[in-house]
């Protein structure tokens, strides 16, 4: 007689992909997809580790091989999928991913006087915006010929004074 042991083969993860390539801005939804083969019904667990070594479970084990991740904190991340088979054997696959700061959003841009105004009138321009860190504001004007002029270069002030000079249609920007 002979003793012979048959060992179960762990799952094989053939791919671990995202629908949006790295880097992406904070707040972006990224679909993670794992493809794997193995014994019985496979279960998928999605995890993340930041550059400081902090781990978080994005989604615990479930039969769906996809997960939609809403990115949050900026920085370099490592995404993981753990695939577990019916025998309890687990195979892990990882990928690197970078999250960048989202662009600021201008929530309002107003002038203290309505259009039209006479040449020489001073207008107070005011902007409100949301974003990460200390925001900087730049105010510009473009005339009907496509010429650009800086009213106020980047500064922490969200208010600028513009003295309308030449007559004509203008477009104001922040």
């Amino acid at each position: 007689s002979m003793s012979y042991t048959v060992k179960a083969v762990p799952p094989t993860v053939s791919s671990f992909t995202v629908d949006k390539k790295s880097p992406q801005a904070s707040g972006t939804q990224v679909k993670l997809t794992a493809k794997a083969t193995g014994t019985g019904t496979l279960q998928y667990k999605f995890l993340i580790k930041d550059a400081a070594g902090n781990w978080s479970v994005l989604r615990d084990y479930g039969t769906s091989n996809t997960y939609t991740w809403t990115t949050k904190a900026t920085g370099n991340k490592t995404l993981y999928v753990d695939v577990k088979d019916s025998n309890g054997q687990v195979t892990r696959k990882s990928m690197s991913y970078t999250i960048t700061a989202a662009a600021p959003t201008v929530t309002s841009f107003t002038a203290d006087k309505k259009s039209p105004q006479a040449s020489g009138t001073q207008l107070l321009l005011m902007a409100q915006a949301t974003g990460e860190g200390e925001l900087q504001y730049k105010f510009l004007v473009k005339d009907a010929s496509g010429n650009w002029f800086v009213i106020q270069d980047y500064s922490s002030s969200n208010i600028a004074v513009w003295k309308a000079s030449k007559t004509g249609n203008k477009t104001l920007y922040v």
Side-chain angles (χ1 to χ4, degrees), residues 76-87:
N76 296 321
K77 314 290 181 189
T78 306
L79 298 169
Y80 297 89
V81 63
D82 286 351
V83 181
K84 181 168 61 171
D85 67 13
S86 296
N87 296 320

Side-chain angles (χ1 to χ4, degrees), residues 1-162:
S1 74
M2 169 179 16
S3 176
Y4 192 83
T5 304
V6 176
K7 184 178 176 182
V9 177
T12 300
V13 181
S14 58
S15 70
F16 182 34
T17 59
V18 289
D19 68 339
K20 294 182 182 101
K21 291 183 179 183
S22 176
Q24 289 293 323
S26 178
T28 303
Q29 288 194 335
V30 179
K31 184 177 180 182
L32 313 177
T33 303
K35 292 186 180 171
T37 56
T39 305
T41 301
L42 300 179
Q43 293 191 54
Y44 302 83
K45 179 178 182 178
F46 295 91
L47 307 103
I48 188 169
K49 183 174 75 168
D50 66 18
N54 300 308
W55 287 83
S56 294
V57 174
L58 297 173
R59 193 199 73 207
D60 211 343
Y61 283 111
T63 55
S64 173
N65 68 328
T66 64
Y67 175 75
T68 301
W69 168 48
T70 302
T71 63
K72 291 181 183 167
T74 60
N76 296 321
K77 314 290 181 189
T78 306
L79 298 169
Y80 297 89
V81 63
D82 286 351
V83 181
K84 181 168 61 171
D85 67 13
S86 296
N87 296 320
Q89 294 192 92
V90 177
T91 299
R92 174 171 282 176
K93 187 109 173 165
S94 67
M95 76 172 83
S96 297
Y97 208 90
T98 301
I99 305 303
T100 58
T105 301
V106 176
T107 56
S108 73
F109 183 37
T110 59
D112 67 337
K113 296 176 181 85
K114 291 185 178 187
S115 180
Q117 290 293 322
S119 179
T121 302
Q122 279 195 347
L123 295 170
L124 185 62
L125 307 176
M126 297 161 281
Q128 294 294 322
T130 59
E132 293 187 33
E134 184 181 338
L135 299 180
Q136 300 279 308
Y137 300 83
K138 181 177 183 178
F139 293 85
L140 305 107
V141 60
K142 183 173 84 169
D143 66 19
S145 299
N147 299 307
W148 288 86
F149 303 96
V150 175
I151 298 167
Q152 173 184 297
D153 209 346
Y154 282 110
S155 79
S156 59
S157 176
N158 66 334
I159 298 172
V161 176
W162 175 54

